[in-house]
């Protein structure tokens, strides 16, 4: 998941919270959500601290561990907040958050999968991040099994709290919390929270002292989690929502990528751009050509259910092994998506060879690593074979340029890493799935984004994450439940997916 939005200035507000009352739309069940007060955003936090949960000036990292065992309950799940500091993440301790954490609603139960989705978001712009975490397997008395919920936990210098329920699914198998994102979609300075479940994406929209829940899209998505990203795709100064999802209807599976914006007159999200039959695993928003307009990257893009729509993921040959398809933002003379690029491991300047099952682009993150005013794209390929080691995984940094991720000749500028790369901790082994998740944040506050790559298959699926400070192998380090002193069993925890930091 990628969360991106433009910041605005405004009057300062204290870091206090109030209970919001929901005006419920589309039959959504809720509990009172504790939310930072103030209709206007505070001045923007210092660059690199938007994910600073403990208020020490360093960007932190949230690692969701939905397969984690808690108090003997398999797959109850937890979230590990890994603190940033002078040595980046992994060297300064962490906090394990479960549903038994003080002030956080609920109780750890087998199959809750708390941490299936995570977002560290500064909801009111005061420089302190809040944690949003989904538990799609949450059972609710009176509603049934796998109703799902999203919980929020406040951050501060004095410790976590309070916690609250953002939204609970309306019925059994709704599985709210499969995905989560937050951004200022209405342009009023407050951040809306978007939640994906089974067959539905909804948004909790702040409206003065109250809020409402509105359905963005409802369709037969089956067991696939909808993919969410935010960015200002229409250039109006407010964040928009990108949603990718699959439908499991007859006669064949279909797929969609759609953009939504807030319609103030209708008090609802309005669909304004689509590309159908483009099946994707990841989305990311960034200004890759530096023209001031947000672009959208579609990761592991492949055509699903051809209905005479010409190449929704670009040239068919570039889908092998996973392709990344880019739709560029609208200049004054054009419209969003009127210009596109496609690349895979057979593209000039991209290390490697495109092979079936590589899953190139299955995870995406965005950062301006070289600080040239153009965003760069970090891409994971968890299925990449390294030598004879199948599904060992790899990750790439694809640099933005004047034309985007590809130059006038159609070549990329990039660097790749795997666990056999000199300086990268560990050894590439079969099933490591290095690159299953990627994230970027300035964890050591030196002004240069750092990269974190998840490897949930590491150590017999105990899992691990690897830090590349400044997108370099110099001082690269790894961390895992074992090195962080977290309780763990011999069961697979799959630490390292999902990741959230920005």
């Amino acid at each position: 998941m990628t969360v991106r939005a433009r910041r605005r200035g405004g009057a300062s507000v204290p870091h206090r919270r109030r209970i919001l009352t929901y005006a419920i739309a589309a039959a959504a069940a809720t509990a009172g959500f504790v939310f930072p007060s103030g209709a206007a955003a505070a001045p923007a936090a210092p660059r690199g601290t938007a994910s600073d949960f403990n208020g020490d000036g360093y960007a932190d990292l949230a690692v969701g561990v939905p397969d984690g065992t808690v108090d003997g309950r398999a797959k109850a799940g937890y979230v590990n907040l890994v603190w940033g500091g002078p040595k980046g993440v992994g060297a300064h301790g962490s906090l394990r958050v479960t549903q038994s954490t003080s002030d956080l609603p609920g109780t750890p139960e087998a199959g809750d999968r708390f941490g299936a989705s995570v977002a560290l978001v500064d909801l009111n712009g005061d420089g302190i991040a809040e944690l949003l975490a989904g538990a799609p397997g949450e059972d609710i008395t009176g509603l049934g099994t796998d109703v799902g919920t999203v919980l929020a936990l406040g951050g501060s210098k004095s410790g976590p709290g309070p916690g609250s329920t953002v939204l609970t699914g309306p019925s059994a198998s709704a599985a709210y919390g499969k995905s989560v994102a937050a951004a200022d979609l209405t342009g009023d300075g407050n951040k809306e929270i978007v939640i994906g479940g089974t067959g539905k994406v909804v948004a909790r929209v702040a409206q003065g002292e109250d809020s409402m829940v509105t359905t963005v899209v409802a369709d037969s998505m089956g067991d696939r989690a909808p993919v969410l990203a935010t960015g200002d795709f229409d250039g109006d100064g407010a964040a928009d929502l990108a949603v990718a999802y699959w439908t499991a209807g007859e006669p064949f599976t279909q797929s969609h990528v759609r953009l939504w914006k807030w319609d103030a007159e209708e008090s609802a999200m309005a669909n304004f751009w689509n590309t159908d039959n483009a099946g994707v695993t990841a989305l990311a928003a960034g200004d890759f050509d530096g023209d001031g307009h947000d672009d959208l990257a579609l990761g592991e893009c492949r055509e699903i259910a051809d209905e005479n729509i010409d190449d929704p993921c670009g040239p068919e040959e570039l889908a092998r092994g996973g392709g990344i398809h880019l739709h560029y933002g609208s200049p004054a003379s054009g419209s969003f998506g009127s210009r596109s690029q496609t690349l895979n491991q057979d593209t000039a300047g991209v290390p490697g060879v495109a092979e079936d099952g590589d899953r190139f682009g299955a995870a995406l993150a965005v950062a301006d690593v070289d600080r040239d005013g153009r965003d760069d794209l970090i891409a994971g390929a968890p299925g990449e074979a390294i030598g004879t080691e199948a599904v060992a995984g790899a990750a790439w940094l694809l640099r933005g340029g004047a034309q985007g991720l590809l130059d006038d000749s159609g070549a990329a500028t990039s660097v790749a890493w795997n666990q056999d790369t000199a300086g990268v901790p560990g050894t590439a082994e079969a099933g490591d799935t290095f690159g299953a998740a990627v994230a970027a944040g300035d964890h050591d506050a030196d002004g240069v984004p750092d990269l974190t790559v998840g490897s949930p298959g590491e150590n017999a699926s105990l899992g691990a994450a690897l830090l590349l400070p400044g997108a370099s192998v110099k001082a690269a380090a790894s961390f895992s439940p074992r090195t962080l002193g977290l309780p763990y069993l011999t069961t697979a925890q799959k630490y390292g997916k999902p990741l959230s930091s920005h």
Side-chain angles (χ1 to χ4, degrees):
M1 173 201 70
T2 296
V3 181
R4 180 184 174 87
R6 305 277 189 209
R7 290 189 176 275
R8 293 171 177 77
S12 296
V13 295
H15 190 58
R16 57 188 174 85
R17 296 166 173 84
R18 55 184 164 82
I19 301 295
L20 290 179
T21 304
Y22 290 123
I24 302 303
T30 71
F33 171 51
V34 182
F35 187 81
S37 65
R47 182 177 177 85
T49 61
S51 60
D52 180 9
F53 185 86
N54 61 356
D56 65 354
Y58 294 94
D60 303 316
L61 176 74
V63 183
V65 193
D67 287 335
T69 298
V70 179
D71 298 335
R73 297 170 175 85
K75 296 187 179 181
Y78 67 91
V79 177
N80 188 210
L81 292 171
V82 188
W83 307 132
K87 295 182 179 180
V89 289
H92 302 280
S94 70
L95 174 69
R96 184 174 183 254
V97 177
T98 75
Q99 284 187 274
S100 61
T101 297
S102 178
D103 288 334
L104 200 61
T107 301
E109 298 169 314
D112 280 350
R113 305 199 78 242
F114 177 69
S117 61
V118 291
L120 272 179
V121 184
D122 183 3
L123 290 173
N124 72 343
D126 67 350
I128 304 290
E130 286 75 39
L131 170 67
L132 301 174
E138 181 83 4
D139 300 338
I140 304 294
T141 301
L143 292 177
T145 60
D146 296 340
V147 172
T149 187
V150 171
L151 304 179
L153 183 66
S156 75
K157 293 181 179 180
S158 58
S164 59
T165 300
V166 177
L167 192 64
T168 295
S171 60
S173 301
Y176 274 25
K178 283 187 173 182
S179 47
V180 65
D184 181 8
L185 301 173
T186 63
D188 67 353
N190 288 318
K191 289 185 174 66
E192 281 63 52
I193 299 173
V194 183
I195 294 167
T198 296
K200 187 174 285 188
V201 175
V202 299
R204 189 201 62 77
V205 181
Q207 294 188 324
E209 291 298 316
D210 298 320
S211 73
M212 62 176 288
V213 175
T214 184
T215 298
V216 179
V217 60
D219 213 331
S220 54
M221 301 178 196
D223 292 330
R224 296 179 183 270
V227 183
L228 310 176
T230 62
D232 183 8
F233 303 113
D234 62 359
D236 68 352
D240 307 311
L241 175 67
V243 180
Y245 63 97
W246 303 59
T247 56
E250 295 295 336
F252 37 59
T253 297
Q254 296 176 292
S255 52
H256 315 273
V257 178
R258 296 183 174 175
L259 299 185
W260 303 78
K261 65 183 296 181
W262 179 249
D263 185 329
E265 291 186 2
E266 298 293 331
S267 293
M269 298 295 290
N271 175 225
F272 69 93
W273 184 89
N274 300 316
T275 177
D276 291 324
N277 297 330
V280 307
T281 305
L283 295 172
D287 184 5
F288 304 114
D289 55 7
D291 68 351
H293 298 277
D294 278 351
D295 314 312
L296 182 65
L298 281 56
E300 199 186 2
C301 193
R302 60 273 198 205
E303 184 173 317
I304 302 294
D306 183 9
E307 289 184 330
N308 299 317
I309 295 177
D310 294 332
D311 298 325
C313 293
E316 186 175 349
E317 63 270 18
L318 293 180
R320 186 180 184 190
I324 297 174
H325 189 57
L326 298 117
H327 291 280
Y328 284 91
S330 55
S333 59
S335 59
F336 179 83
S338 58
R339 186 171 76 88
S340 64
Q341 294 178 336
T342 309
L343 58 104
N344 72 351
Q345 288 188 74
D346 286 342
T347 299
V350 179
V353 176
E355 299 169 309
D356 292 340
D358 284 348
R359 305 198 62 210
F360 181 69
L364 299 175
V366 174
D368 184 5
V369 173
D370 54 12
R371 295 163 292 170
D372 65 350
R374 302 180 180 105
D375 281 327
D376 308 308
L377 184 69
I378 302 96
E384 178 82 358
I386 306 300
T388 60
E389 304 297 326
V391 199
W396 285 256
L397 173 65
L398 301 155
R399 297 195 182 276
Q403 300 301 318
L405 296 189
L406 301 178
D407 63 20
D408 288 333
S409 68
T413 300
S414 65
V415 60
W417 306 279
N418 61 67
Q419 287 187 275
D420 279 352
T421 301
V424 175
T427 301
E429 299 171 309
D432 280 350
T433 60
F434 179 80
V438 291
D442 185 8
H443 301 295
D444 55 7
D446 67 351
V448 182
D450 310 309
L451 307 184
T452 307
V453 182
S455 185
E458 185 85 5
N459 296 326
S461 292
L462 173 62
L466 290 89
L467 173 69
L468 299 171
S472 168
V473 298
K474 183 178 180 180
S478 66
F479 52 95
S480 69
R482 184 177 292 128
T483 66
L484 291 170
L486 302 174
Y488 65 88
L489 305 174
T490 56
T491 55
Q493 305 291 285
K494 298 182 181 178
Y495 185 95
K497 180 186 180 182
L499 303 171
S500 175
S501 180
H502 60 285

